[in-house]
């Protein structure tokens, strides 16, 4: 059987001259544990001090408006950090053409145009830190949680975590897995019984059915059931799997 889809955390440091941007980064990081903002600083001097003191992030995010950006990148590389962090340069949109020249000069530096939303920033940081395979898992989790939120699922219910794990297994398996196998894998991950997994997801589905959200009603229609029906576990999983497969390519 396949191994459990792992969850990795990317450690990043952010340097931005804009106070509001720094605050947004700090706030967003509090609710997105996949990216740990080890530091959010206003200038290159503080960034270099942290790196020299032993902080070894996987990704360094630099505001192009920082003073002496070229020399700052050179000084970061001169530290010979192991492993060498990936560099992400945030550039205002009017400076796009100049930024491309800067990227060529700096080498090995990714570009992100501003203004950008925090989601796009953190998605790019995570991708640079873990690579494409783990980033796909990250996207699956994000989509699954968004659909559960839209159905007003209670995140404190264990069924949310169990359903997410089963969907991850289903999305990453090389071949279709029957419902029984998904129960078994998830039960092994959580050191519990398959019946407990099934019961928790059943309670979750019934509670979402009572909320009667548009997304839950759409899942019912996908399964050929009345909009007011309570989806059995297998149909809930199948319908959500179809939604995720449409969104994650």
């Amino acid at each position: 059987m396949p191994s459990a889809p792992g969850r990795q955390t990317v450690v990043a440091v952010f340097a931005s001259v804009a106070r509001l941007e720094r605050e947004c980064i700090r706030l967003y990081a509090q609710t997105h544990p996949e990216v740990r903002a080890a530091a959010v600083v206003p200038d290159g001097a503080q960034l270099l001090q942290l790196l020299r003191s032993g902080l070894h992030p996987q990704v360094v995010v630099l505001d192009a408006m920082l003073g002496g950006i070229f020399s700052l990148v050179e000084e970061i590389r001169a530290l010979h950090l192991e492993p060498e962090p990936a560099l992400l340069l945030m550039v205002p949109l009017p400076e796009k053409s100049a930024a491309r020249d800067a990227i060529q000069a700096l080498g090995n530096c990714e570009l992100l145009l501003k203004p950008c939303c925090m989601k796009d920033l953190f998605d790019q940081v995570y991708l640079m830190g873990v690579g494409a395979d783990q980033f796909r898992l990250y996207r699956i989790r994000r989509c699954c949680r968004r659909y559960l939120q839209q159905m007003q699922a209670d995140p404190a219910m264990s069924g949310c975590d169990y359903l997410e794990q089963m969907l991850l297994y289903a999305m990453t398996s090389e071949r279709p897995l029957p419902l029984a196998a998904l129960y078994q894998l998830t039960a092994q991950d959580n050191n519990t019984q398959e019946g407990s997994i099934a019961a928790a997801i059943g309670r979750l589905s019934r509670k979402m059915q009572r909320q009667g959200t548009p997304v839950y009603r759409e899942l019912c229609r996908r399964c050929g059931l009345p909009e007011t029906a309570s989806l059995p576990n297998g149909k809930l999983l199948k319908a959500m799997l179809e939604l995720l497969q449409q969104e994650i390519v």
Side-chain angles (χ1 to χ4, degrees), residues 51-179:
L51 297 178
R52 289 173 180 142
S53 299
L55 181 60
H56 288 173
Q58 292 159 272
V59 182
V60 174
V61 181
L62 302 172
D63 182 355
M65 297 297 101
L66 291 168
I69 187 67
F70 285 93
S71 60
L72 175 59
V73 171
E74 290 175 355
E75 288 186 75
I76 292 173
R77 290 184 173 147
L79 295 174
H80 300 295
L81 300 175
E82 288 293 340
E84 184 178 5
L87 299 180
L88 176 61
L89 185 64
M90 298 189 297
V91 183
L93 187 58
E95 306 295 329
K96 181 178 179 180
S97 297
R100 288 207 175 108
D101 294 336
I103 293 300
Q104 292 178 351
L106 294 172
N108 267 345
C109 192
E110 293 290 333
L111 171 68
L112 184 66
L113 296 178
K114 296 198 301 182
C116 65
C117 65
M118 286 293 108
K119 175 188 177 299
D120 289 343
L121 171 60
F122 275 64
D123 281 356
Q124 183 63 32
V125 169
Y126 195 81
L127 174 60
M128 293 173 68
V130 300
D133 289 342
Q134 280 291 325
F135 183 67
R136 186 168 185 270
L137 295 178
Y138 169 76
R139 289 187 62 207
I140 293 170
R141 290 190 186 99
R142 289 281 299 272
C143 288
C144 180
R145 292 170 192 171
R146 186 178 74 249
Y147 285 128
L148 288 172
Q149 185 178 42
Q150 290 172 355
M151 290 185 284
Q152 298 180 16
D154 182 354
M157 296 182 71
S158 59
C160 288
D161 292 333
Y162 295 154
L163 181 59
E164 178 186 305
Q165 290 172 27
M166 291 175 70
L167 287 166
L168 280 169
Y169 273 122
M171 287 285 289
T172 57
S173 175
E174 295 179 355
R175 57 182 177 82
L177 293 175
L179 185 61

Side-chain angles (χ1 to χ4, degrees), residues 194-210:
E194 296 164 36
S196 299
I197 302 292
I201 294 177
R203 288 192 295 270
L204 175 68
S205 184
R206 290 189 293 274
K207 186 164 186 178
M208 292 191 298
Q209 180 263 337
R210 290 194 293 273

Side-chain angles (χ1 to χ4, degrees), residues 29-61:
Q30 290 177 13
T31 58
H32 292 74
E34 292 90 351
V35 174
R36 182 166 71 86
V40 184
V41 298
D43 54 56
Q46 291 189 39
L47 172 63
L48 288 171
Q49 182 179 2
L50 289 169
L51 297 178
R52 289 173 180 142
S53 299
L55 181 60
H56 288 173
Q58 292 159 272
V59 182
V60 174
V61 181

